[in-house]
Amino acid sequence: MLLLLSLVSFEVGIAQISDNENIKIPLKSNKSILFGFDTYIIDQPLQNQRNIKICSAYNGWLYGVYSYFDINVHQDAIAIVRSKNNGVNWAVILEGPWGLDNVSLSKLDILACGTDTNNIKLFVGYLVTDTVSSYQYLSVVRHDKNGISEEILLQDGSGLIRDFALASDNLYPANNSNPFSLALVYSTGTLYKDSIVVYTSSNGGASLNKHYNIASSSKYFHKVAITYGRCSSYNGGRYFVAWEEQENADSLFGHLYTSHSEPNFNSP
């Protein structure tokens, strides 16, 4: 018992050392603490990188998407990256300017779906703001596993798209999706009415083949979220959505609302 108490006292004493030079914690080159395999995704000190989103494929490969301002063409640009070794190293698989002046990529999202390395598909959402008119539009694009664009699944520029989110049942498919389902939720507004819109795909993202307006209001809809749930007694799956409503865009007071599809993932 005496030996055990001595060891505990010794460990506590080490933890209280205040001289940083004696603490042997691995550091990055900028002297910040390195946690495990923590690393830069893409180390480009002169790029103003932002809007990063990452996701995991069925086999543990990681995919990410981010934007930055390309000073050579004076446009926002996007990059899609991939890691095959748990995030230790990342490779850029697609990169380039958006192709339009006076636009800003204000939010991105990404999903990696598929059951083997040959059929992985990437679904990337792009929320774009026109910096002159302040109008926003939303695009959802299907890419192959190497980042190459295959098809635009949705483009909505009908109003002020304020926020969006993507979800899928790829790992636990609903019993009536083939081979998996995909869902998109976004908040949109006009001068008179705001709406929460949900699109679903039952065909593995070949198309977004159903959509519903699940809420409307003369108030202000802003942030949204979506996730998928399934269990043995509800094998049709459900998509669960949450959103926030405020009196107006400047209001500091708001409410949160939720909804879910019933009785299946692609039901109202």
Side-chain angles (χ1 to χ4, degrees), residues 40-229:
Y40 298 104
I41 289 185
I42 297 294
D43 185 9
Q44 294 286 343
L46 299 182
Q47 277 186 1
N48 181 19
Q49 299 172 345
R50 52 194 188 272
N51 296 316
I52 180 69
K53 287 288 187 177
I54 62 172
C55 66
S56 177
Y58 79 98
N59 60 352
W61 287 3
L62 299 175
Y63 286 89
V65 62
Y66 63 89
S67 66
Y68 64 92
F69 187 74
D70 189 329
I71 59 175
N72 296 312
V73 296
H74 302 285
Q75 292 179 357
D76 263 17
I78 63 120
I80 297 178
V81 295
R82 177 176 61 202
S83 173
K84 295 183 178 181
N85 57 1
N86 302 312
V88 179
N89 303 107
W90 294 83
V92 176
I93 60 175
L94 177 71
E95 184 175 21
W98 187 250
L100 293 173
D101 296 329
N102 302 317
V103 301
S104 172
L105 290 162
S106 48
K107 181 176 181 178
L108 304 169
D109 204 358
I110 186 170
L111 297 175
C113 300
T115 55
D116 64 55
T117 55
N118 294 317
N119 65 20
I120 289 177
K121 299 292 182 183
L122 306 178
F123 299 91
V124 184
Y126 305 90
L127 184 56
V128 182
T129 301
D130 186 313
T131 57
V132 176
S133 67
S134 297
Y135 264 67
Q136 295 176 300
Y137 67 90
L138 173 64
S139 293
V140 178
V141 182
R142 187 180 69 243
H143 299 256
D144 72 7
K145 65 177 180 179
N146 296 315
I148 297 173
S149 175
E150 293 184 340
E151 187 174 356
I152 298 174
L153 299 180
L154 177 134
Q155 235 175 359
D156 190 333
S158 59
L160 295 171
I161 311 296
R162 300 197 177 99
D163 193 31
F164 80 97
L166 296 169
S168 176
D169 66 354
N170 178 63
L171 294 181
Y172 302 96
N175 66 349
N176 52 351
S177 65
N178 183 26
F180 57 85
S181 75
L182 186 75
L184 160 74
V185 62
Y186 61 92
S187 55
T188 180
T190 67
L191 293 176
Y192 309 104
K193 183 179 70 174
D194 280 17
S195 300
I196 301 295
V197 181
V198 170
Y199 278 83
T200 57
S201 167
S202 61
N203 51 24
S207 63
L208 294 171
N209 48 9
K210 282 197 177 183
H211 88 277
Y212 305 98
N213 276 22
I214 64 171
S216 296
S217 174
S218 59
K219 298 180 181 180
Y220 182 85
F221 288 149
H222 196 202
K223 297 293 185 182
V224 296
I226 188 168
T227 193
Y228 171 77

Side-chain angles (χ1 to χ4, degrees), residues 169 172-176 228-231 234-240 261-267:
D169 66 354
Y172 302 96
N175 66 349
N176 52 351
Y228 171 77
R230 177 186 184 276
C231 66
Y234 291 96
N235 59 10
R238 305 287 190 279
Y239 279 105
F240 296 83
S261 59
E262 181 67 35
N264 299 303
F265 75 91
N266 61 350
S267 301

